[in-house]
């Protein structure tokens, strides 16, 4: 079975390509390298000792996407590609709507043309907004608080309408919680070029001396120690969740939505302390004001993903903080 992975050079995309190749799928990647590097393709080949096809380019380029489907006989698509920085999306909403909608609509139109109707879509827990209760179930109210999250929510709506228009589609929408960690080879991982928005890449840059001090955004939340609580999931577990989703859409038509998390929430301070203890390194931090748009706490009810996808995350928070650090020490 040949899988097109859009954004396959990215953090989650590259780990998913490794899992796909290890499970004997053929892989084709399209990536415009706007937030990744081309050498990731060689690292995936080295890790898996398998070949894969890479097309450098943009999903908004309909000619290129058509050429890929014409040449490659794609059986299914895992769609990661898109802009994903919450803060940037607040400053540049039109860029986010134009890019994330154009790329997705172009992909779907070409998939229809070539009768390729199996899709795994990369969504996000951010579609739940600030949940009233926890843990979060897939049928909770959906309410976004930033343009990035809204692109994910509206694309979920497009996919529902697409399925309602043609029941030949098989669509799995995966709502990620907070992915961290790295492949055990430490050849691939999360390594943003500029100042990181997210917690773990920032901690790692402080721990490796690249940045001076971590700012902990607020300690007056309604949580165990006042700092924000999130459901961190190892990126390799997340990648395995995509294999389970491919297996499902290969068997069943329809559209469904799945939380990919661990079901356990950790506070920022708990993450910092665990990171320091596991890696025997100090993380210099200070408490600052809340970050606008942040919520108190967020963690998944994972029972539906277990029931329908037979997916359960297995890696511990200790493995996550260790792998994040080991990768960064070798790659920054
Ligand atoms: C985690 C916690 C912060 C940075 C976002 C998107 C989500 C997904 C993951 C794309 C919060 C605190 C963070 C820092 C801090 N992205 N923090 N200092 O906001 O839960 O989720 O990224 O798919 O869709 O919404 O992740 O890592 O930014 O923050 O104190 O320098 O760490 O306040 O409590 P978030 P995050």
């Amino acid at each position: 079975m040949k899988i097109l992975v859009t954004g396959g050079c990215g953090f989650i995309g590259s780990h998913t390509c490794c899992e796909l190749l290890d499970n004997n799928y053929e892989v084709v990647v399209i990536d415009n390298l706007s937030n990744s590097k081309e050498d990731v393709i060689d690292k995936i080949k080295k890790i898996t000792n398998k070949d894969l096809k890479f097309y450098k380019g943009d999903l908004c380029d309909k000619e290129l996407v058509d050429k890929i489907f014409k040449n490659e006989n794609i059986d299914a698509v895992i769609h990661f590609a898109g802009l994903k920085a919450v803060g940037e999306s607040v400053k540049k909403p039109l860029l986010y709507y134009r890019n994330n909608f154009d790329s997705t609509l172009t992909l779907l139109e070409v998939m229809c043309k070539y009768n390729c109707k199996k899709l795994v879509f990369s969504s996000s827990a951010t579609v739940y907004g600030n949940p009233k209760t926890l843990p979060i179930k897939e049928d909770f109210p959906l309410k976004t608080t930033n343009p990035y999250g809204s692109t994910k929510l509206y694309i979920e709506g497009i996919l529902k309408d697409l399925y309602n228009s043609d029941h030949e589609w098989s669509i799995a929408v995966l709502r990620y919680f907070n992915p961290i960690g790295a492949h055990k080879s430490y050849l691939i991982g999360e390594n943003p070029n500029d100042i990181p928005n997210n917690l773990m890449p920032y901690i790692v840059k402080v721990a490796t001396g690249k940045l001076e001090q971590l700012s902990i955004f607020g300690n007056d939340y309604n949580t165990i120690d006042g700092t924000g609580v999130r459901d961190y999931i190892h990126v390799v577990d997340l990648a395995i969740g995509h294999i389970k989703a491919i297996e499902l859409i290969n068997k069943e038509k329809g559209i469904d939505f799945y939380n990919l998390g661990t079901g356990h929430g950790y506070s920022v301070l708990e993450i910092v302390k665990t990171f320091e203890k596991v890696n025997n390194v100090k993380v210099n931090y200070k408490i600052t004001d809340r970050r606008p748009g942040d919520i108190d706490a967020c963690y998944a009810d994972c029972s539906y993903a277990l029931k329908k996808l037979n997916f359960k995350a297995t890696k511990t928070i200790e493995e996550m903080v260790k792998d994040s650090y080991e990768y960064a020490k070798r790659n920054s």
Side-chain angles (χ1 to χ4, degrees):
M1 197 175 170
K2 188 179 277 192
I3 313 292
L4 173 64
V5 181
T6 76
C9 291
F11 176 40
I12 307 171
S14 55
H15 287 80
T16 302
C17 286
C18 289
E19 289 302 324
L20 286 166
L21 292 165
D22 286 347
N23 283 274
N24 298 316
Y25 290 94
E26 288 182 84
V27 172
V28 176
V29 170
I30 178 173
D31 200 308
N32 66 5
L33 303 179
S34 65
N35 191 28
S36 54
K37 297 185 180 77
E38 188 167 350
D39 67 355
V40 166
I41 294 294
D42 288 335
K43 292 176 177 177
I44 293 168
K45 291 176 180 174
K46 187 172 177 187
I47 289 167
T48 60
N49 196 26
K50 298 264 181 75
D51 202 2
L52 70 159
K53 198 79 172 288
F54 173 57
Y55 290 84
K56 180 181 172 184
D58 200 303
L59 265 184
C60 296
D61 175 352
K62 197 160 195 172
E63 250 179 73
L64 171 60
V65 180
D66 194 280
K67 181 180 139 197
I68 293 171
F69 276 83
K70 192 179 212 150
N71 295 350
E72 299 291 349
N73 192 18
I74 303 293
D75 297 299
V77 178
I78 303 180
H79 179 32
F80 291 106
L83 296 175
K84 54 153 242 163
V86 171
E88 184 186 49
S89 79
V90 174
K91 296 191 189 90
K92 303 176 182 172
L94 296 182
L95 172 69
Y96 271 67
Y97 287 120
R98 169 61 65 193
N99 180 77
N100 291 1
F101 290 164
D102 259 7
S103 53
T104 302
L105 290 170
T106 301
L107 172 67
L108 294 173
E109 287 167 348
V110 176
M111 287 178 76
C112 286
K113 176 180 174 185
Y114 288 90
N115 199 35
C116 174
K117 297 183 176 179
K118 293 184 174 131
L119 174 71
V120 176
F121 175 61
S122 162
S123 189
S124 166
T126 201
V127 300
Y128 296 112
N130 196 352
K132 292 231 178 326
T133 60
L134 291 167
I136 296 173
K137 287 179 177 292
E138 285 85 353
D139 63 358
F140 269 29
L142 303 178
K143 183 181 178 311
T144 49
T145 57
N146 59 74
Y148 156 74
S150 296
T151 66
K152 292 297 184 184
L153 181 57
Y154 301 153
I155 291 168
E156 290 192 6
I158 290 168
L159 296 176
K160 275 187 229 171
D161 288 342
L162 178 60
Y163 174 69
N164 288 336
S165 74
D166 176 359
H167 286 189
E168 286 305 303
W169 281 86
S170 302
I171 303 171
V173 176
L174 306 182
R175 292 170 179 163
Y176 311 150
F177 284 71
N178 289 59
I180 60 173
H183 187 270
K184 61 183 178 304
S185 63
Y186 303 133
L187 289 173
I188 55 175
E190 187 175 24
N191 194 12
N193 311 332
D194 45 15
I195 306 283
N197 297 302
N198 296 135
L199 178 65
M200 187 49 70
Y202 207 108
I203 288 177
V204 151
K205 285 198 185 277
V206 172
T208 53
K210 300 285 179 307
L211 287 172
E212 187 67 28
Q213 185 178 52
L214 169 72
S215 296
I216 296 183
F217 299 142
N219 66 347
D220 57 352
Y221 285 105
N222 180 21
T223 62
I224 186 168
D225 57 23
T227 62
V229 167
R230 297 291 185 276
D231 183 335
Y232 297 92
I233 178 170
H234 197 291
V235 64
V236 172
D237 272 333
L238 200 58
I240 292 165
H242 289 75
I243 304 301
K244 301 288 189 184
I246 286 283
E247 290 167 356
L248 181 87
I249 63 171
N250 217 12
K251 286 186 302 208
E252 286 179 23
K253 293 187 171 43
I255 182 170
D256 218 341
F257 306 80
Y258 307 94
N259 288 338
L260 294 195
T262 66
H264 191 99
Y266 286 96
S267 75
V268 177
L269 277 172
E270 286 174 322
I271 292 290
V272 170
K273 297 303 168 208
T274 307
F275 186 97
E276 290 181 323
K277 180 161 171 264
V278 167
N279 296 312
N280 191 25
V281 67
K282 193 86 190 86
V283 175
N284 179 19
Y285 70 83
K286 65 179 175 184
I287 305 290
T288 61
D289 292 340
R290 291 184 173 197
R291 177 173 65 177
D294 269 353
I295 61 175
D296 298 60
C298 170
Y299 53 90
D301 177 315
C302 310
S303 54
Y304 193 62
L306 178 60
K307 180 172 162 229
K308 282 293 300 284
L309 296 178
N310 188 28
F311 171 74
K312 183 168 173 46
T314 59
K315 292 183 181 294
T316 64
I317 198 68
E318 288 77 14
E319 286 174 278
M320 292 182 221
V321 297
K322 173 177 178 293
D323 292 343
S324 294
Y325 187 50
E326 290 303 323
Y327 167 77
K329 282 195 292 186
R330 295 162 172 78
N331 293 278
S332 41

